[in-house]
Amino acid sequence: MTKLFNFKSVFLLLSVIAFISCSDDDKSIEITVDTKDITVEIYETVDEGDEIVTVPGSTNEGSVMFELVDESIDGAFAIDAETGLLRVADASVFDFTVNPSFSIVVNVYNEDVSAQSIVTVNLTEVRIETEDITIEVSEIVEEGDELATVTGSTEQGGEVMFEIVDESVAGAFAIETETGLLTVADASAFDYATNPTLLATVNVYSGDISAQATVTVNLIEVIVETEDLYVEVLPFPSQGDVLGTVVGTTNEGEVSFEIISTSQENAFTIDAETGVLTVLDGALYDANINPTITAEVQVSNHDITSISNVTVNVLLDCDSSLQYFEDFVDDLIAIDGISMDYTIDSETHEYTFSLSQAATICSIGYQGYEDDTPYVFEIVNQVGGVLYEDTLSFSSTMQEYISIEPLHLEPGTYTVKRTFTEWEYIGDTVGNVFRLYGEDFPFPMPYNGFMTFEGSDFYGFTTTDGTNRALPYISLGFSL
């Protein structure tokens, strides 16, 4: 019995000692918390709530918690107590020029055990890259016309915005906020005479960071030039006849033409694109009523204009180019056997001609025996009615033309006569004639498509039959 008691007693004693020993081991485990200092770099352009960094923290028992215990700028940061995620709390203090660096002390703890992490946040300055622009544009613009695109970018590749903050002429420009496209807002400001140069200051920004670009717009003066137009025209032209072209040029774009005033309404019309001036109402072109018709033609390039003064002189028939016989003389003497001779003529020499169209006789040409020799010239119609009669003297050395009162002739047959009444003997009647020796002159003979020489005759102081013997060189100056 005694041995058994002792064994039990010893067992119980050992069990108590072991229990006490284990309890002492549990109470000896020490809680530890680990963290470390960190340094980060971020751009200064941040928004509230932006994540910055997660502060490291660990423990050998349980989990750690996080708290901010010190900041170089109060209120700049916030931290998630459970995760240690550090965020922006006050974005306004993230300004490189004021606070290039921040220092934050974070307490990492597990119950009463803690460690501290010093977080250094270095800011990277954000720069807006842009550049000034100088352009040249025509002063003729319209609202909405595109001028230039202001460029802008940041180092981190973020988006930038654009706004006009100053203009040399308020309201002249507009800009697209997102693209920087500069356009015309007020076209009236683009006036070279008033504003040869326009300026705009554009703010390029990202958040609170900005840079400015100066846009210089040099206007190109638009010049419109023209010339006065002087025209001579025969009476009663047909509608649509071209009078001339008003010249108009410009250094930018195209010009247009418009009649803005005229001395005779409905006298003209003008092609707005080409400047070709044409007759509208030919009845107004009467030299006796409207010897001069004028108009002002405005040559325009938008609001830039110049004036061409148009003057149209309506000619009396004899003011225009005349048809003479000189080319006909060359044709005559080229015919075999025909010659022009300065020879004894007769007291009266005449020829008959016909007209296929209306014409006006403006002058008579002849070569006299002496400079002061008087000759009577007559023009009569087919029934002998005298249409013209006058005494004229001509040069003795050349064919001379003397202007007469314009004599308008309708299509028909007429005779021109030259009579010398003051001769003393036959030698005084010398004159130029065309003749074909041994034969009659080859009438009829057409001239220039409007006139035909039908026949001739001479008489006085002789009984010789002068019918068609020679053509006297009496030339007529015609206006057709």
Side-chain angles (χ1 to χ4, degrees), residues 2 40 50 52 119 122 149 189 191 215 229 279 282 290 308 335 342 364 432 452:
T2 303
V40 295
D50 283 356
I52 298 176
V119 180
N122 294 321
T149 298
D191 182 348
V215 180
L229 177 64
V279 173
N290 301 312
S308 172
I335 297 175
Y342 188 62
I364 296 176
N432 283 315
T452 300

Side-chain angles (χ1 to χ4, degrees), residues 59 62 80 109 245 248 267 270 273 286 304 307 372 384 386 409 420 456:
T59 182
D80 187 299
Y109 64 95
T245 300
I270 196 166
E273 295 183 356
D286 185 334
I304 313 301
I307 299 296
D372 58 354
V386 177
L409 302 179
F420 179 37
S456 68

Side-chain angles (χ1 to χ4, degrees), residues 325 328-329 332 338-341 343 345 349-353 366 416 431-436 439-443 445 447 451-458 466-475:
F325 288 175
F328 181 63
V329 170
L332 277 178
I338 292 180
S339 63
M340 184 176 72
D341 297 327
T343 184
D345 203 346
H349 207 157
E350 64 185 43
Y351 63 80
T352 299
F353 63 93
Y366 195 69
V416 56
N432 283 315
V433 297
F434 299 96
R435 58 185 175 181
L436 181 62
E439 299 180 30
D440 287 345
F441 201 80
F443 294 110
M445 182 168 286
Y447 166 64
M451 175 182 174
T452 300
F453 295 94
E454 302 287 357
S456 68
D457 196 5
F458 63 83
T467 304
N468 295 338
R469 295 291 300 277
L471 175 65
Y473 190 10
I474 304 169
S475 55

Side-chain angles (χ1 to χ4, degrees), residues 394-411:
F394 297 85
S395 169
S396 62
T397 60
M398 60 181 290
Q399 189 84 352
E400 180 184 6
Y401 285 86
I402 295 177
S403 296
I404 66 172
E405 186 72 21
L407 177 62
H408 185 74
L409 302 179
E410 294 297 325

Side-chain angles (χ1 to χ4, degrees), residues 228-476:
D228 292 342
L229 177 64
Y230 179 83
V231 179
E232 291 184 341
V233 62
L234 290 173
F236 311 115
S238 300
Q239 182 177 1
D241 283 357
V242 175
L243 297 171
T245 300
V246 176
V247 175
T249 60
T250 182
N251 59 330
E252 291 283 328
E254 303 291 336
V255 296
S256 60
F257 303 85
E258 178 187 7
I259 297 173
I260 59 174
S261 70
T262 178
S263 62
Q264 288 295 323
E265 189 176 357
N266 297 324
F268 309 106
T269 185
I270 196 166
D271 188 298
E273 295 183 356
T274 65
V276 173
L277 192 72
T278 54
V279 173
L280 184 59
D281 183 357
L284 296 173
Y285 293 74
D286 185 334
N288 295 314
I289 300 174
N290 301 312
T292 300
I293 304 175
T294 61
E296 285 186 325
V297 175
Q298 180 172 276
V299 185
S300 304
N301 185 348
H302 291 76
D303 295 334
I304 313 301
T305 62
S306 185
I307 299 296
S308 172
N309 294 301
V310 176
T311 302
V312 177
N313 279 343
V314 183
L315 302 175
L316 291 168
D317 285 350
C318 291
D319 291 333
S320 59
S321 297
L322 302 181
Q323 297 280 339
Y324 294 111
F325 288 175
E326 272 63 28
D327 52 346
F328 181 63
V329 170
D330 294 337
D331 292 339
L332 277 178
I333 61 179
I335 297 175
D336 187 31
I338 292 180
S339 63
M340 184 176 72
D341 297 327
Y342 188 62
T343 184
I344 295 174
D345 203 346
S346 60
E347 180 179 354
T348 298
H349 207 157
E350 64 185 43
Y351 63 80
T352 299
F353 63 93
S354 62
L355 295 175
S356 60
Q357 67 182 75
T360 299
I361 298 177
C362 303
S363 61
I364 296 176
Y366 195 69
Q367 180 176 346
Y369 176 57
E370 294 180 347
D371 288 344
D372 58 354
T373 302
Y375 298 91
V376 176
F377 280 85
E378 297 174 89
I379 299 174
V380 300
N381 59 22
Q382 193 169 9
V383 296
V386 177
L387 305 177
Y388 171 83
E389 182 178 4
D390 199 2
T391 300
L392 306 173
S393 297
F394 297 85
S395 169
S396 62
T397 60
M398 60 181 290
Q399 189 84 352
E400 180 184 6
Y401 285 86
I402 295 177
S403 296
I404 66 172
E405 186 72 21
L407 177 62
H408 185 74
L409 302 179
E410 294 297 325
T413 302
Y414 304 89
T415 299
V416 56
K417 302 180 179 183
R418 183 241 53 187
T419 300
F420 179 37
T421 60
E422 298 185 8
W423 56 279
E424 294 182 5
Y425 56 94
I426 193 170
D428 293 339
T429 61
V430 173
N432 283 315
V433 297
F434 299 96
R435 58 185 175 181
L436 181 62
Y437 285 98
E439 299 180 30
D440 287 345
F441 201 80
F443 294 110
M445 182 168 286
Y447 166 64
N448 260 15
F450 74 95
M451 175 182 174
T452 300
F453 295 94
E454 302 287 357
S456 68
D457 196 5
F458 63 83
Y459 47 86
F461 74 73
T462 179
T463 58
T464 303
D465 181 10
T467 304
N468 295 338
R469 295 291 300 277
L471 175 65
Y473 190 10
I474 304 169
S475 55
L476 302 177

Side-chain angles (χ1 to χ4, degrees), residues 217-236:
V217 178
N218 293 320
L219 297 185
I220 299 172
E221 182 181 14
V222 174
I223 299 173
V224 174
E225 294 182 326
T226 187
E227 300 174 358
D228 292 342
L229 177 64
Y230 179 83
V231 179
E232 291 184 341
V233 62
L234 290 173
F236 311 115

